[in-house]
Amino acid sequence: MKSILLTGTAGFIGSNFVPYFLEKYPDYQLVNLDLLTYAGNLENLKECEENERYKFIQGDICNRELVEFIFREYDIEGVIHFAAESHVDNSIKNPGVFVETNVNGTFTLLDVAYKHWMQKPFVKKKGYEESRFHHISTDEVYGTLSDDPEDLFTEKTPYAPNSPYSASKASSDMIVRSYVETYGMNCVITNCSNNYGPKQHDEKLIPTIIRNALAGNPIPIYGDGKNIRDWLYVLDHCKGIDLVYHNGDKGETYNIGGRNERTNLQIVDAICTILDEKVPPKERIGKESYKELVTFVEDRAGHDRRYAIDATKIENELGWRADETFDTGIVKTVEWYLNKYL
């Protein structure tokens, strides 16, 4: 039984990844280390609680003593590192927490893994020849793009983070890179576009739109609503992580994107159109359409205009493809939140 440490998987992406990974790999034992901050919820993993190959440990990735104990106790042979503070608004209000978790936490995990798996730089201990550290990152490290649809983030795009959140993730990416170059560690990095789907925290854009619409509250949209993001269905992201962890080349970065660019206004329009059909607004909030609730609010400080990923590398080298279009994925997503909120 191979033991893999997963961090932060009581959160959105991780809690979709764990059941997928448990089912696909019956010879893996998964150890989930999660601090259970406001963004983590064990209810997200209720389906895994009785699985004897799944172990949950509440704790901080910055706690070196705890991380060392986990590596020894479970003889960790791989790490897939999801844990991160990720809400941009929160990073603007309190950047120190983001530096502590995203930078220092990543360093702690890397350094403990290095000492557990390797005798010295470029010399692996016996039994750990295949051990790998997979760092989950974001497209926000690349900064912002022009409105030109041909302008896309690739793995060669220079880093230019614009928020404390993206700066902390860029910093953690660089630390991972340094452990490859200096110590010869087997690490890979994936940078993903905006995820959406079941189990996302209520504070994020899509759950906020759905929740506020159903309650008849204003749907807040930053600025002019024309900021563009590339949207990736969360299970498609999980499948990409799986492929990179098992088949990606050491030291490489792979960008995972859905090729689904939408403005925030288009996102609201799509969701409200689905809600208008499934939960008629006339009966619920006395309006003809939930779109009447859209309210423009002051723009976020340092708000990047456009993100879009070129996923050619992972598509060509590893054969990954997104199964969901935005049109299919958003219907599944809305239906999941209707079951939660109604």
Side-chain angles (χ1 to χ4, degrees):
M1 195 70 69
K2 183 176 181 178
S3 292
I4 298 177
L5 174 62
L6 307 177
T7 67
T9 49
F12 168 41
I13 300 171
S15 65
N16 281 275
F17 183 79
V18 171
Y20 160 81
F21 215 53
L22 273 174
E23 182 177 355
K24 186 169 181 183
Y25 298 101
D27 56 340
Y28 286 0
Q29 178 183 30
L30 305 183
V31 181
N32 173 19
L33 174 60
D34 197 302
L35 187 57
L36 293 184
T37 64
Y38 78 95
N41 185 353
L42 286 182
E43 285 294 312
N44 289 339
L45 290 165
K46 208 160 186 61
E47 64 200 283
C48 305
E49 286 178 351
E50 302 303 318
N51 193 311
E52 61 183 13
R53 294 185 294 109
Y54 170 75
K55 171 71 175 177
F56 170 72
I57 298 172
Q58 184 171 356
D60 192 339
I61 59 172
C62 297
N63 182 341
R64 188 182 185 98
E65 186 177 342
L66 173 60
V67 175
E68 288 175 339
F69 167 79
I70 292 170
F71 269 78
R72 289 193 310 270
E73 182 73 10
Y74 296 95
D75 191 20
I76 298 299
E77 297 180 60
V79 175
I80 304 178
H81 175 35
F82 292 88
E85 294 284 348
S86 66
H87 197 277
V88 176
D89 288 350
N90 292 345
S91 81
I92 294 169
K93 296 171 188 170
N94 191 5
V97 174
F98 285 70
V99 173
E100 178 66 16
T101 298
N102 298 351
V103 182
N104 294 338
T106 301
F107 162 72
T108 299
L109 290 165
L110 272 168
D111 201 54
V112 172
Y114 166 67
K115 289 177 171 58
H116 191 76
W117 297 340
M118 303 185 72
Q119 293 180 24
K120 60 182 180 178
F122 297 93
V123 180
K124 299 178 178 68
K125 293 178 182 176
K126 187 176 180 180
Y128 299 99
E129 292 85 359
E130 304 301 319
S131 293
R132 163 162 282 184
F133 189 105
H134 184 152
H135 178 57
I136 313 296
S137 191
T138 172
D139 60 357
E140 296 193 38
V141 299
Y142 298 121
T144 191
L145 292 168
S146 71
D147 291 334
D148 181 356
E150 300 299 316
D151 189 14
L152 302 171
F153 294 139
T154 73
E155 291 80 3
K156 302 296 185 184
T157 300
Y159 278 26
N162 291 322
S163 71
Y165 161 60
S166 55
S168 69
K169 291 298 288 184
S171 301
S172 63
D173 291 6
M174 294 297 99
I175 294 169
V176 174
R177 173 183 164 82
S178 76
Y179 268 70
V180 175
E181 298 298 321
T182 301
Y183 303 109
M185 265 188 75
N186 181 0
C187 304
V188 287
I189 298 172
T190 48
N191 297 80
C192 68
S193 56
N194 275 37
N195 280 222
Y196 71 101
K199 304 181 182 179
Q200 192 167 28
H201 192 274
D202 287 344
E203 70 188 358
K204 299 293 189 172
L205 176 65
I206 288 175
T208 294
I209 293 169
I210 299 168
R211 188 180 65 257
N212 283 22
L214 294 173
N217 294 330
I219 299 172
I221 299 297
Y222 282 129
D224 61 7
K226 295 181 181 178
N227 298 75
I228 296 172
R229 299 292 181 264
D230 175 22
W231 291 89
L232 174 66
Y233 191 68
V234 65
L235 189 56
D236 284 328
H237 184 200
C238 293
K239 293 173 182 176
I241 293 167
D242 175 12
L243 270 174
V244 173
Y245 178 75
H246 287 100
N247 301 317
D249 290 334
K250 171 187 167 182
E252 289 296 310
T253 293
Y254 297 86
N255 285 351
I256 308 177
R259 300 190 186 275
N260 288 304
E261 289 186 56
R262 298 288 191 282
T263 66
N264 288 345
L265 281 176
Q266 288 173 318
I267 297 295
V268 177
D269 186 76
I271 292 171
C272 289
T273 297
I274 297 167
L275 289 176
D276 284 350
E277 178 183 337
K278 293 183 177 295
V279 189
K282 193 75 171 177
E283 303 167 16
R284 187 170 183 87
I285 60 170
K287 294 186 180 295
E288 295 299 324
S289 172
Y290 292 105
K291 297 172 190 178
E292 296 175 45
L293 298 171
V294 171
T295 304
F296 294 95
V297 298
E298 183 180 354
D299 207 357
R300 167 195 288 160
H303 198 180
D304 291 331
R305 192 64 172 173
R306 175 174 171 260
Y307 305 145
I309 273 182
D310 181 350
T312 299
K313 180 176 177 178
I314 190 173
E315 291 169 347
N316 289 349
E317 293 186 11
L318 301 182
W320 177 86
R321 292 291 187 281
D323 292 325
E324 300 290 344
T325 66
F326 185 78
D327 290 337
T328 60
I330 196 62
V331 171
K332 292 181 179 181
T333 301
V334 171
E335 288 174 346
W336 190 89
Y337 283 102
L338 286 177
N339 287 330
K340 176 180 179 179
Y341 293 140
L342 293 182

